[in-house]
Amino acid sequence: MAHAARGDAADAAGLPPDLPIVAFDFEPQTVDYMRQGRIKATHVQRQYYTGYLGPYIVYGIKALGLAATRQMLAPQLVDGTRFDLGVDVVPAEKVDAFYGFLDSIGAEQ
């Protein structure tokens, strides 16, 4: 189901408002449903790190070498080769704090 349509679909289906709905995006419509209490939490991909870390990894390889850079990244590597940025889980009551975090790292959502 696309974006916050989860909240719309739950309402249209007549599901009780206290039914916990968890989403997988941080779109404005999802945030609106979170503020209303209809969506209890959401999972957010760490897109803001994708563009940020790439140049640092390339620079690390050039400055430190591939082996040293790979060793530093080892805790986040999947299968020893792919970088896992992870996800953030944002409960409805932490929406403003998450926006504050995004602002603190200069990310635009």
Side-chain angles (χ1 to χ4, degrees):
M1 212 171 280
H3 304 295
R6 291 176 271 300
D8 292 336
D11 291 341
L15 297 175
D18 60 342
L19 177 72
I21 298 173
V22 177
F24 191 81
D25 62 57
F26 203 66
E27 296 292 323
Q29 208 177 9
T30 299
V31 173
D32 288 343
Y33 274 108
M34 292 174 75
R35 291 185 189 284
Q36 296 168 27
R38 190 63 168 132
I39 293 178
K40 307 302 182 199
T42 191
H43 297 78
V44 183
Q45 295 176 342
R46 294 178 174 165
Q47 301 165 341
Y48 41 88
Y49 287 140
T50 303
Y52 180 80
L53 288 177
Y56 281 104
I57 291 170
V58 172
Y59 180 79
I61 292 169
K62 182 175 171 117
L64 304 171
L66 178 60
T69 303
R70 185 174 280 169
Q71 184 177 1
M72 287 189 335
L73 297 174
Q76 283 77 36
L77 292 180
V78 177
D79 299 332
T81 59
R82 294 177 288 139
F83 193 84
D84 182 5
L85 293 172
V87 297
D88 291 309
V89 178
V90 183
E93 64 272 8
K94 301 281 185 173
V95 167
D96 291 329
F98 190 70
Y99 273 126
F101 163 69
L102 293 175
D103 287 344
S104 77
I105 63 171
E108 293 183 23
Q109 191 63 27

